[in-house]
């Protein structure tokens, strides 16, 4: 989501241990997190967003600057994504 209003929310990624993560991109299908944490592919994680709440996901890919996670698509993932996006849009620049 490259847009001038888009900020990177600081979240907590819980895999083996809690780790800080910046939410770069989010949708009902999943998210990309900038983080130093490197849970293995297929690992179950939990993502805690300060405004959107928490959601469970699965690590779908690893990158140099973070990880991609996939959500089970449904009402909960849509609500999480919309709340995270709305939170970023309403935050002052």
């Amino acid at each position: 989501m490259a847009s001038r209003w888009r900020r990177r929310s600081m979240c907590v990624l819980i895999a083996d241990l809690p780790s800080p993560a910046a939410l770069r991109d989010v949708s009902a299908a999943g998210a990309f997190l900038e983080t130093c944490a490197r849970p293995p592919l297929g690992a179950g994680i939990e993502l805690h967003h300060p405004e959107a709440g928490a959601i469970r996901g699965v690590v779908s890919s690893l990158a140099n600057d973070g990880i991609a996670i996939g959500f089970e698509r449904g009402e909960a993932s849509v609500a999480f994504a919309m709340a995270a996006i709305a939170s970023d849009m309403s935050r002052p620049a």
Side-chain angles (χ1 to χ4, degrees):
M1 290 196 293
S3 177
R4 68 179 182 278
W5 57 260
R6 184 77 175 112
R7 314 276 186 263
R8 289 189 177 120
S9 294
M10 287 308 298
C11 300
V12 176
L13 170 68
I14 300 177
D16 290 334
L17 299 171
S19 302
L23 185 61
R24 181 192 298 173
D25 189 24
V26 64
S27 73
F32 186 87
L33 306 171
E34 293 176 356
T35 182
C36 293
R38 289 295 181 271
L41 287 174
I45 60 91
E46 190 168 301
L47 177 62
H48 291 258
H49 184 280
E51 302 294 327
I55 191 166
R56 293 184 187 275
V58 174
V59 177
S60 58
S61 68
L62 303 172
N64 289 335
D65 57 345
I67 64 171
I69 57 174
F71 304 140
E72 182 178 328
R73 293 182 197 181
E75 289 180 17
S77 66
V78 171
F80 180 88
M82 290 183 71
I85 292 166
S87 169
D88 287 353
M89 289 176 71
S90 62
R91 190 178 312 162

